[in-house]
Structure formats: structure tokens, C-alpha cells
Amino acid sequence: MTSINEIAEDYVARYVELDPQFATELGVPGHDHELTDISLEGFAARNTLTAATLAAIRALEPADEGERVAVAAMEERLALAVESYEAGDDTSALNVIASPLQNMRAVFDQMSTEGEEDHANIARRLAAVPVALEQLKATLLDSAAHGRTSARRQVLACVKQTEDWTGARGGENFWTSLVARTGAAGALREDLERGAATATAATADFGRFLAEELLPSAPEKDAVGRERYQRASREFLGDTVDLDETYRWGLEEVERLRAEIAETAERIVPGGSLKDAVAALEADPTRRITGADNFRAWMQEKSDAAVAALVDVHFDIPEPVRRLECMIAPTHEGVMYYTPPSEDFSRPGRMWWSVPEGQTEFSTWRELTTVYHEGVPGHHLQCGQTAYRTELLNRWQRSMCWVSGHGEGWALYAERLMDDLGYLSDPGDKLGMLDGQMMRAVRVVVDLGMHLELEIPAGFDFGDGTGIDHGGERWTPELGWRFMRANVNLPEAQLAFELDRYLGWPGQAPSYKVGERIWMRARDDAKARKGADFDLKTFHRQALDLGSMGLKPLREALGRL
């Protein structure tokens, strides 16, 4: 291979053979009946491929600006992937949201259930669940033997998830409900039901393994420390930031948002507090929707309206990217998320709402900004446009590269942009956006504070009428919980999940606000460079046409435009 792009194409083609779940995400046929090998040997094989690809691109000179951008993005990502593997981060991963356990379950959400071939693939993949979980057991035990076990909090949270997925806690069994959704009949139905029973038993057994065999080696302490945190931060940002400066900036952002929230609450209930404003919005029947299906329809309506309003005005939106499906997820974890389209767009991008068990009422004032975050101009525009630009981006750039600071930073930038463009002029919708911004700013403080055990400044205001009068006290999960409860308007169960998420996924939560900060700076830098020639639509197109990448190579590439 003589070019960077050839190497990139080959890397993706070989990687999907080693990661069937990733193949399903891309829509690559031929692997939907398999699960990814998560044994030590499976992790090692993928790392060997990554290391060889890294060496290959380092041996070549980029032929043009497009390859220059591609090699900068690939070198940053692949080098860090090898470093993380060698540190044992991959093989020890176990957390409440994004580890091999959750990835194995979530791949079933991406599978088609339309025909007999699809039903057969699901049945074979269900039958593979016990092997995958046995592989994961061995991998985690090996990591434990080397002193790398996730904190007790994460292990217990994953035990609870296995109970939720099997219906042991009184809810719906994910595996049997998956079979019911297929509508299969006859012999295929029998295969599916056997697969679901097998997966249920294996999932329950894995929960027992976590509780009885892994938990005794799990440390009580949640904090991962500076060395691990700095590597995790680089993973999610694609850049090295000053962690202490970022912590101080997060504190400043909380104060700035408190003032803006108070001003907006005043517009809703003159003379009232934030609590009064929220109560007024919750009591407004025009801002509430009953029923998950009705809420899904509202999400679809708002998403379609955003596409229609923005296309050819503020953004270039290719025709296939104008389609986005809003979905109710088959799980009940209380989060909204996005999954990209397949490479050929036969499966569209999808916005999912994982409705908490028993929730039937939905507040539109809270979620309009989330529709923009997950849809257009947020994740769907960004990921869809990247997937579409086959003439500009190689396959690795289009389908395999995802950097949280770039992607989540863009989605927060998109929310704020919609406010600037007047789409959140209603004070209730504006408060929903600011409430989300506050949650992301609080994340910066508590994530850095808890994992690095940073000092809380003297005079710090928790937001609940109490504070820290003197210096010297340091962040703990208990203080992080107190700070979150005082400043984030989420149901307590959802807030508890958020805290577990931060503690088990260090560095990811701050990537939203830090990424937004860098996107805002990039736009301001472009304005300063181009002066009267600056055009916002052109900036957006050029920036998104670079594809996903680390924030350091992004800044460098944008500076050359």
C-alpha cells in the first residue's frame, strides 16, 4: 500500500473481521450472527492490527492536505489506543455505561428484525452470549490478578444491570422481549426462544460472577488518580489539557450559568426562583406529553422541523442525511442517545430515548434542546455528513473515528447555536438548554474533582444554601452527589446513574463542555482570521468535512483553512 488512504481502508476492512459488533454498527453484512471476541487473545489481536497500522502510516508522507488531515487524526487515535491497551485499560474496563458488557447487549438494538435471515442472525448471536460472557470473565479475572479491577461501585452497578436485563428485579426481560419484537414464527421462533433462554441464564450467571468472584478484588476507592485520568482525558479529547486550569474554568462556568439561569427563570415567573420557574413549567399542560409513543412522535416532529428550517440556510445537509428516525429504546436507563446510519444509509441515523421504568409523562421544555443535540444540527448532522463524504474522507475517517470532545463538543455547540439563531427564544425552552449546560458544567467540576481529589476553594457555594468556608476540604463522591443534587434538575434515580457514570468512565463527562469550549474558540479564531469574509455556513461545512478527530489536530486543520 502506497497511500495513507489505502492503509486506512485496509485497517477498517481487517478490523471488522476482528470486531463483528462493530461490523453491525457499520452495516457491514456477514457478521451479524457473531459477537466480538473479548478474550485476552481477542484484545491482543485487535491491538496487533492497530499497532501495525500505526507503523505503516508513520512510514509514509501525506500526498496532499486531505491525507495530511487523515494521518494526523489516525496517528493521534491509534497511538493512544496502543498506549491504553498496554496500560491494561481495555481489558480491565467494567462500568455502568460503556464497557464490553454493555456493548454486547447494545449491539442487539442495531440489528434488523424484518425477515427470516435477520431472525436467524439474532438467534445465532443470542446463542453466542454465553461464550462471550465466559471470555469476559476470564479477561476481568486476569486484570484483577494484575491489580486492575474497577471500583466496587461499578461492579455492583453492573450486577444490577444484569438483574434488570434478565427481569430479576421485576421488570421486563430484555432477551425475551427482543424475541417478541421479531414477530418470528415456527422453527425460527423456537431457535430465538432457546437463544433468549440461554442468554438469560448466562447473563444471570455473569451477575453472580461479578458479585461473588470479582467484587472481593474491587477497591472501595472510586478515584483513579492523575496518571490514569490524564490518559483517559486524552482519549476523550484527543488533546492534552491542563487539568487544574480546566477545573478552575469549570467552577467559573457554573457561576456564569447560575446567573443566566436566574435571569431566565425571572422571565418565566417574575420575582420567583428557579424552583418556581420549574414548577410553573411542569404545571403547564402544553409542555407535557403523556405516553412514550406520543413523546416519540413529538421528537420526530421537532427533528423534521429542524432539518427543514436549517437545510441550505445555515448548513449544507446532503439528501440522505435529512432522514432521522426517533425511537423508543428497548431498555429503561433514562438516557437519550444517537446511533449513526449504516455506511450505505439503508439504516438511518436514529435518536433513542431509553425511558425509565414506569415513566409516562414527559416535559417538552426539558427535551427540545436534546433533540437538537442528538439530531440536527448536533450528532446526526455531524455523523451523517461524515458518513456521506466519501469523496473527501477515507473509510476510517467516515466510520471508525469518534472522539468524544469533538462529537459531544459539537453537539453542545449546536445547542447553543440554535439558541443564537432564535430556536430557543421561548424562556421555557431556553431554561431547558441552560439546565443541560449546567449539568455539563457541574460534570467538569465533579469529574475532575472526585477523580483527582482536588481541593474545594474557600467560599465555595454548593448551591443548596451551604458552602465551604475554609480551604483544604477535597472532593469525594458524597460531596459530588450533594453538588449535583443542588444544581442539576434530574430525577434522583437518573442523577444517581449519572454519578455512577462519571466515577466509572473518568474523563468522558467533561469532554462535552471542554469540547464545546474548543469549538467556540475555533469559530472565533476563524472570524478573526477572515474578518468580513467569514461565513458561518461555510465554516460549518469546512469544519464537518474534516471528519471526527482529536481536538488538537482539529485546531491545527481549522487553522489551515
Side-chain angles (χ1 to χ4, degrees), residues 21 25 35 97-108 165:
Q21 293 170 204
E25 291 177 27
L35 287 171
I97 191 170
S99 62
L101 176 63
Q102 291 80 19
N103 296 341
M104 183 209 65
R105 192 221 56 78
V107 73
F108 288 92
W165 298 344

Side-chain angles (χ1 to χ4, degrees), residues 207-325:
R208 287 190 292 272
F209 157 76
L210 292 176
E212 296 172 8
E213 296 185 51
L214 194 67
L215 189 62
S217 65
E220 289 285 345
K221 191 173 186 177
D222 295 286
V224 298
R226 191 169 289 264
E227 179 183 351
R228 173 70 182 93
Y229 193 94
Q230 186 75 78
R231 189 168 61 249
S233 178
R234 285 167 49 216
E235 176 185 349
F236 292 115
L237 295 177
D239 199 0
T240 300
V241 298
D242 183 329
L243 300 179
D244 297 293
E245 186 278 333
T246 302
Y247 170 67
R248 293 190 295 272
W249 170 76
L251 291 169
E252 293 168 0
E253 273 292 280
V254 169
E255 289 303 314
R256 181 187 68 80
L257 285 165
R258 279 176 175 169
E260 193 170 1
I261 286 171
E263 180 183 338
T264 305
E266 173 72 22
R267 293 171 57 198
I268 298 169
V269 180
S273 64
L274 170 60
K275 184 177 179 180
D276 295 329
V278 170
L281 294 171
E282 290 292 285
D284 184 349
T286 67
R287 299 181 186 272
R288 295 188 67 77
I289 291 176
T290 301
D293 287 339
N294 291 331
F295 184 65
R296 186 211 60 78
W298 174 84
M299 288 164 54
Q300 190 71 59
E301 176 191 345
K302 295 302 180 183
S303 175
D304 292 344
V307 172
L310 296 174
V311 66
D312 297 329
V313 180
H314 299 292
F315 295 95
D316 293 319
I317 307 179
E319 187 64 38
V321 184
R322 298 177 192 181
R323 180 185 174 205
L324 171 68
E325 284 187 355

Side-chain angles (χ1 to χ4, degrees), residues 78-364:
L78 271 57
L80 182 59
V82 171
E83 181 182 342
S84 296
Y85 169 79
E86 291 176 346
D89 297 341
D90 299 345
T91 50
S92 61
L94 184 72
N95 61 53
V96 74
I97 191 170
S99 62
L101 176 63
Q102 291 80 19
N103 296 341
M104 183 209 65
R105 192 221 56 78
V107 73
F108 288 92
D109 298 347
Q110 294 285 71
M111 297 182 71
S112 172
T113 60
E114 296 301 315
E116 290 188 356
E117 183 179 355
D118 300 324
H119 299 161
N121 283 333
I122 294 171
R124 292 179 67 185
R125 189 167 258 177
L126 283 170
V129 168
V131 172
L133 291 178
E134 286 300 316
Q135 291 172 343
L136 185 55
K137 285 181 187 178
T139 298
L140 292 174
L141 285 174
D142 181 83
S143 292
H146 289 85
R148 296 189 298 264
T149 304
S150 293
R152 181 179 179 86
R153 180 191 303 267
Q154 300 304 315
V155 178
L156 289 172
C158 289
V159 171
K160 177 181 178 297
Q161 284 186 331
T162 64
E163 293 171 347
D164 288 339
W165 298 344
T166 60
R169 296 168 59 86
E172 188 177 59
N173 181 313
F174 169 78
W175 306 112
T176 56
S177 66
L178 170 64
V179 173
R181 289 197 303 275
T182 67
L188 273 176
R189 179 68 174 226
E190 293 175 3
D191 288 345
L192 285 163
E193 289 176 345
R194 278 194 296 271
T198 298
T200 297
T203 304
D205 178 67
F206 188 79
R208 287 190 292 272
F209 157 76
L210 292 176
E212 296 172 8
E213 296 185 51
L214 194 67
L215 189 62
S217 65
E220 289 285 345
K221 191 173 186 177
D222 295 286
V224 298
R226 191 169 289 264
E227 179 183 351
R228 173 70 182 93
Y229 193 94
Q230 186 75 78
R231 189 168 61 249
S233 178
R234 285 167 49 216
E235 176 185 349
F236 292 115
L237 295 177
D239 199 0
T240 300
V241 298
D242 183 329
L243 300 179
D244 297 293
E245 186 278 333
T246 302
Y247 170 67
R248 293 190 295 272
W249 170 76
L251 291 169
E252 293 168 0
E253 273 292 280
V254 169
E255 289 303 314
R256 181 187 68 80
L257 285 165
R258 279 176 175 169
E260 193 170 1
I261 286 171
E263 180 183 338
T264 305
E266 173 72 22
R267 293 171 57 198
I268 298 169
V269 180
S273 64
L274 170 60
K275 184 177 179 180
D276 295 329
V278 170
L281 294 171
E282 290 292 285
D284 184 349
T286 67
R287 299 181 186 272
R288 295 188 67 77
I289 291 176
T290 301
D293 287 339
N294 291 331
F295 184 65
R296 186 211 60 78
W298 174 84
M299 288 164 54
Q300 190 71 59
E301 176 191 345
K302 295 302 180 183
S303 175
D304 292 344
V307 172
L310 296 174
V311 66
D312 297 329
V313 180
H314 299 292
F315 295 95
D316 293 319
I317 307 179
E319 187 64 38
V321 184
R322 298 177 192 181
R323 180 185 174 205
L324 171 68
E325 284 187 355
C326 295
M327 309 284 287
I328 297 299
T331 52
H332 305 282
E333 291 163 352
V335 294
M336 196 176 287
Y337 58 96
Y338 171 77
T339 55
S342 58
E343 289 184 298
D344 62 359
F345 284 90
S346 61
R347 184 190 69 227
R350 288 169 173 161
M351 184 191 316
W352 300 81
W353 176 221
S354 178
V355 181
E357 198 81 57
Q359 181 174 344
T360 58
E361 295 287 324
F362 304 88
S363 302
T364 60

Side-chain angles (χ1 to χ4, degrees), residues 417-431:
L417 178 69
M418 290 300 276
D419 183 37
D420 294 341
L421 296 177
Y423 290 90
L424 295 171
S425 57
D426 176 271
D429 295 335
K430 173 71 172 282
L431 188 63

Side-chain angles (χ1 to χ4, degrees), residues 415-527:
E415 289 188 56
R416 191 180 296 196
L417 178 69
M418 290 300 276
D419 183 37
D420 294 341
L421 296 177
Y423 290 90
L424 295 171
S425 57
D426 176 271
D429 295 335
K430 173 71 172 282
L431 188 63
M433 185 274 288
L434 292 173
D435 189 50
Q437 285 272 334
M438 174 62 84
M439 178 176 70
R440 275 60 176 253
V442 166
R443 284 176 175 177
V444 174
V445 175
V446 298
D447 198 80
L448 282 156
M450 292 188 301
H451 281 294
L452 302 183
E453 298 177 290
L454 296 175
E455 186 173 333
I456 303 173
F460 178 77
D461 178 8
F462 277 96
D464 59 0
T466 66
I468 301 291
D469 296 328
H470 52 80
E473 189 157 2
R474 295 184 179 274
W475 284 102
T476 63
E478 292 72 27
L479 291 176
W481 172 248
R482 176 176 159 192
F483 186 42
M484 290 170 66
R485 287 188 68 189
N487 293 278
V488 180
N489 289 300
L490 285 177
E492 193 158 294
Q494 192 173 344
L495 201 60
F497 177 85
E498 287 289 313
L499 182 68
D500 286 349
R501 168 187 168 181
Y502 308 159
L503 290 167
W505 212 13
Q508 196 273 344
S511 66
Y512 293 64
K513 282 294 287 181
V514 176
E516 178 199 39
R517 186 187 192 190
I518 292 175
W519 272 109
M520 297 293 289
R521 285 176 173 175
R523 186 180 70 181
D524 292 343
D525 290 346
K527 282 182 178 180

